[in-house]
Amino acid sequence: MPIRFLTAGESHGPELNIIVDGIPAGLELRAEDINKDLKRRQCGYGRGGRMKIEKDQVIFTGGVRNGKALGGPISVRIINNDYKNWSDVMSPERIDANKYESKFVSKARPGHADLSGAIKYNHEDIRNVLERSSARETTSRVVAGAICKIYLQQLGIEILSYVLRIGKVGIDIEQLSSDYKDLFLKAESSEVRCPDLKASEDMKKAIDEARSRGDTVGGLTQVVALGLPVGIGSYTHWDKRLNGKIAGVLMSVHTVKSVEIGLGKKVSELYGSEVHDQIYIDPKWDSKKLRYMRKTNNAGGIEGGMSNGQPIVCTVATKPIPTLIKPLHSVDIKEKTDTQAHFERSDICVVPAAGVVLEAMLAYVLADLIAEKFGGDSIVELKNNYDNYLELCYQR
Ligand SMILES: Cc1cc2nc3c(=O)[nH]c(=O)nc-3n(C[C@H](O)[C@H](O)[C@H](O)COP(=O)(O)O)c2cc1C
């Protein structure tokens, strides 16, 4: 892992901390570029009250000087504004038992880490689990991902996402456009990050309806990488396969229940002749691109565990979030009784926000693989190595 990142911090703790290691010297990093993605993660129809309190902004505390990466670890802080409302309960210092226990949680929420986490870590207070298992942590991933996106941009690689479904309201993407960038730009002006503006209104209604029933809704998101060259990942060993790497990082995002690449599970019902992307000599070939082309992208840009030069297309299903205004049946682990689940201020739908987190994780894994293949302690060295490889590819 030439690029690594670690995150720390609790949902209602004083702050979130992120360390990203392996970014080459000379990469231009501006807080405002990272803050744009943080804002995108905070938006979206169906978010709860917490996002009105927070105004996530990065504070660089190491590894960046005069707007450029120095080549060492980059450290970042994000202040949790809500901490001022929780400073008694969440203080790292030993505090008065009454204050500490004022937010004690003993009723596990089904669908969360609550019950298994309390048993595994031997916690009496489920708050000790939920504060770290909360998707507030995805804020930190968006910071690391935004840095990786800037790294990839240097090589002409872009990461984007848009929503295909919320609850029962879905769109047929093939009817809309085959231009991923166009879909993304349209989605950016939708409150649910869906490229179909009419369907966006129906999706908002689906969220309102869930809210009025005290319920939550999940959805489907497409995450795409454009401009990735042929040959990232490898067929030579199981743990080098690009599809496995991508599926792993996308599955690690809270609420994600499935990751499909290209046609995904639809391949199970089609003939081979309908699935595989036939190969042609590109009549428009010049020395600045691959000589070979496809007319379809059913493989989602990956064959034999490697990128094939086509867009990487992943479709990701996210479950409805587990904190319900009308709580589900559960147990009280202190009283050892049946009860209703704990309710804490919560979102109704996080599908639009999850897309931004998925972008971050895709950016991270691709940046890591590129750093592994092309090295480079400085951006200049990285670009030289990368361009040499592209030249070799274009001659084949
Ligand atoms: C951006 C984002 C925001 C989330 N916000 C909430 C929330 O407000 N309330 C909630 O119960 N779950 C929320 N979740 C989902 C939970 O974090 C997640 O379902 C839970 O940690 C269980 O993990 P699992 O879904 O991987 O099983 C959110 C997820 C994401 C990606």
Side-chain angles (χ1 to χ4, degrees):
M1 280 198 286
I3 299 184
R4 297 177 296 167
F5 74 95
L6 275 176
T7 74
E10 280 65 49
S11 179
H12 298 100
E15 58 186 55
L16 304 172
N17 301 110
I18 306 107
I19 294 186
V20 185
D21 187 37
I23 298 297
L27 183 70
E28 283 192 33
L29 289 173
R30 283 191 303 253
E32 69 235 42
D33 292 333
I34 298 166
N35 291 341
K36 269 187 213 152
D37 264 0
L38 288 173
K39 192 165 178 209
R40 289 172 71 231
R41 194 203 76 97
Q42 287 200 267
C43 294
Y45 199 78
R47 300 306 301 277
R50 173 77 188 270
M51 288 304 114
K52 292 194 181 80
I53 300 173
E54 301 301 342
K55 293 244 166 341
D56 294 333
Q57 309 260 302
V58 297
I59 304 165
F60 286 116
T61 52
V64 182
R65 182 166 180 241
N66 195 23
K68 287 188 178 174
L70 294 172
I74 295 168
S75 56
V76 177
R77 296 170 63 205
I78 294 179
I79 308 285
N80 281 329
N81 288 340
D82 208 9
Y83 179 64
K84 57 181 175 297
N85 305 316
W86 290 77
S87 53
D88 282 346
V89 181
M90 291 302 295
S91 170
E93 306 300 326
R94 282 191 84 94
I95 45 169
D96 178 80
N98 288 337
K99 282 183 184 162
Y100 180 77
E101 285 175 10
S102 65
K103 295 277 187 190
F104 192 93
V105 179
S106 57
K107 298 169 183 172
R109 294 162 306 166
H112 258 292
D114 297 8
L115 182 59
S116 309
I119 296 170
K120 175 178 164 70
Y121 288 96
N122 199 27
H123 287 308
E124 300 294 326
D125 185 356
I126 291 175
R127 178 155 307 283
N128 289 334
V129 177
L130 71 83
E131 283 291 333
R132 179 64 188 161
S133 66
S134 156
R136 179 79 182 132
E137 183 259 357
T138 61
T139 310
S140 306
R141 299 197 199 200
V142 168
V143 170
I147 294 173
C148 291
K149 278 185 189 176
I150 296 167
Y151 170 98
L152 293 173
Q153 274 162 14
Q154 305 302 306
L155 311 174
I157 301 164
E158 270 184 286
I159 309 290
L160 32 104
S161 76
Y162 39 83
V163 169
L164 301 183
R165 162 175 299 282
I166 288 183
K168 297 204 168 31
V169 185
I171 58 166
D172 184 353
I173 200 77
E174 280 160 26
Q175 299 296 318
L176 211 56
S177 170
S178 55
D179 181 340
Y180 299 112
K181 190 71 192 276
D182 177 50
L183 290 166
F184 169 72
L185 291 174
K186 285 198 174 109
E188 286 295 281
S189 63
S190 153
E191 277 183 274
V192 284
R193 303 200 58 254
C194 169
D196 181 329
L197 299 183
K198 157 83 186 62
S200 295
E201 291 307 309
D202 294 338
M203 288 175 180
K204 281 162 66 180
K205 282 185 200 142
I207 295 168
D208 290 339
E209 202 242 343
R211 183 186 282 111
S212 68
R213 291 153 54 112
D215 220 323
T216 57
V217 271
L220 209 56
T221 302
Q222 206 151 66
V223 204
V224 177
L226 299 178
L228 193 70
V230 64
I232 303 302
S234 175
Y235 60 87
T236 57
H237 207 79
W238 65 268
D239 60 354
K240 294 184 174 178
R241 292 175 73 93
L242 182 60
N243 32 346
K245 297 240 179 212
I246 290 179
V249 295
L250 298 184
M251 280 297 286
S252 80
V253 175
H254 308 64
T255 72
V256 171
K257 288 293 134 190
S258 78
V259 176
E260 297 182 57
I261 293 175
L263 281 184
K265 64 175 180 290
K266 224 188 270 175
V267 296
S268 61
E269 60 193 61
L270 298 174
Y271 289 111
S273 57
E274 296 170 308
V275 168
H276 301 297
D277 304 305
Q278 301 189 55
I279 309 173
Y280 302 86
I281 299 290
D282 187 345
K284 294 191 191 133
W285 175 74
D286 61 41
S287 60
K288 296 260 176 289
K289 62 180 191 170
L290 272 189
R291 192 189 301 263
Y292 312 105
M293 62 167 288
R294 319 290 176 114
K295 296 180 184 171
T296 53
N297 186 19
N298 294 335
I302 304 177
E303 290 170 306
M306 293 167 294
S307 57
N308 64 8
Q310 296 249 84
I312 304 292
V313 184
C314 312
T315 308
V316 179
T318 42
K319 72 182 186 185
I321 57 168
T323 306
L324 270 61
I325 298 171
K326 211 163 131 194
L328 297 170
H329 189 276
S330 186
V331 291
D332 187 317
I333 61 168
K334 189 173 173 211
E335 305 298 331
K336 316 285 184 219
T337 52
D338 281 287
T339 184
Q340 285 195 324
H342 169 74
F343 177 75
E344 189 150 310
R345 181 186 53 211
S346 179
D347 301 325
I348 304 294
C349 174
V350 298
V351 180
V356 182
V357 183
L358 293 167
E359 286 175 21
M361 294 311 291
L362 184 58
Y364 163 68
V365 76
L366 296 181
D368 181 45
L369 287 170
I370 283 180
E372 182 182 76
K373 182 163 167 57
F374 300 104
D377 293 313
S378 70
I379 278 291
V380 175
E381 189 187 356
L382 167 70
K383 280 189 182 165
N384 281 343
N385 297 347
Y386 190 77
D387 289 344
N388 281 341
Y389 173 71
L390 291 188
E391 223 166 273
L392 274 175
C393 296
Y394 299 159
Q395 285 163 18
R396 298 299 313 275

